[in-house]
Amino acid sequence: MLFDHRIEVKTPEQVRSMRAAGLVVGRTLARLRDAVQPGVSTADLDALAEASIREQGGVPSFLGYGVPPFPASICASVNDEVVHGIPGPRVLQEGDIISIDCGAIVADEDGTGWHGDAAITVAVGDVPEDVRRLMQVTEDALWRGLAAARVGGRVGDISHAVESFVRAAGDFGIVEGYTGHGIGTSMHMEPDVPNEGRRGRGPRLKRGMALAVEPMVTLGTADTVVADDEWTVISADRSWAAHYEHTFALTDAGVWVLTAEDGGQARLEELGAPYGAI
Ligand code: MG
Ligand code: MG
């Protein structure tokens, strides 16, 4: 494997292997979005996710991850839970929102496992206008970040695009202490991809690098606390939070959003960014 300043650099063939993993995640999240409704438990969603990942030839990367070992295939974070919620008996109610984070590993012909990582926030039935807007702002900020990535640019260009979009949208909290990340043969690799930063700063972006961008935004504070389960991250003021994430790779053509079913083509073209499928 080639590295540039500790950042993994993939060949075009390896990027295509990552696309396979990204599609497993993207399709699984599409199924989960359709399954979200009042009366469904977060454990139900987890079971659906694990079956979807395995049926497509993947392995859930979250299962057994970290310390204490994460016990499920998705993170399911409801309302004031920001990220890393553990699926369980909680039943979704009309008016809730749920952030679902999903990761999968797919092996290439040589047996090397490639990771995909993405997240969506879904409304359970009707939610108040401010919550709907929180979700829209967070998702749009993700796409601004993705569209800011260029070969020869810097990680800070992505961070700045995310931050400036959220700040201009209103009085939201950009969650501190959690960032996007490099991804490839592991889920979490160099470099960090912060949701705040300055243009032109940070590691240089090169062809073959793959990153996960994941804004986490609240209706209140940027501060969080971790629950007694040692995983669930909750906003410190109990304000509701949204989380969207995609994994992308930089190619000679541009930005290829590996976990988006259309590769990101529609949103990138809308934002005037080069679409990088190879
Ligand atoms: Mg994730
Ligand atoms: Mg991630």
Side-chain angles (χ1 to χ4, degrees), residues 29 32-33 36 75-83 95-102 118-124 127 131-139 142 214-218 240-246:
L29 283 173
L32 292 169
R33 180 194 295 280
V36 167
C75 298
S77 309
V78 180
N79 299 345
D80 58 348
E81 298 171 352
V82 182
V83 287
D96 285 342
I97 58 171
I98 178 171
S99 296
I100 305 170
D101 197 340
C102 179
I120 55 174
T121 301
V122 185
V124 185
V127 299
V131 174
R132 180 74 58 186
R133 179 157 164 73
L134 167 74
M135 294 170 61
Q136 190 66 56
V137 165
T138 310
E139 184 174 20
L142 165 61
E214 47 181 316
M216 290 150 261
V217 179
T218 80
W240 287 19
H243 176 215
Y244 288 83
E245 177 180 23
H246 272 306

Side-chain angles (χ1 to χ4, degrees), residues 117 181 188 212 214 245:
D117 184 11
H181 48 90
H188 293 131
E214 47 181 316
E245 177 180 23

Side-chain angles (χ1 to χ4, degrees), residues 14-83:
Q14 290 169 333
V15 168
R16 284 189 281 269
S17 295
M18 285 193 71
R19 171 61 165 164
L23 274 177
V24 169
V25 172
R27 289 178 183 137
T28 297
L29 283 173
R31 291 171 185 174
L32 292 169
R33 180 194 295 280
D34 290 344
V36 167
Q37 57 176 307
V40 168
S41 75
T42 54
D44 294 337
L45 296 174
D46 181 55
L48 198 162
E50 180 167 5
S52 171
I53 291 168
R54 294 197 191 280
E55 173 231 308
Q56 295 179 80
V59 173
S61 46
F62 294 5
L63 200 55
Y65 182 90
V67 181
F70 193 80
S73 297
I74 56 168
C75 298
S77 309
V78 180
N79 299 345
D80 58 348
E81 298 171 352
V82 182
V83 287

Side-chain angles (χ1 to χ4, degrees), residues 163-187:
E163 178 185 4
S164 57
F165 183 82
V166 176
R167 301 259 183 250
D171 196 15
F172 297 98
I174 300 176
V175 170
E176 285 177 12
Y178 299 88
T179 69
H181 48 90
I183 181 167
T185 53
S186 298
M187 179 160 60

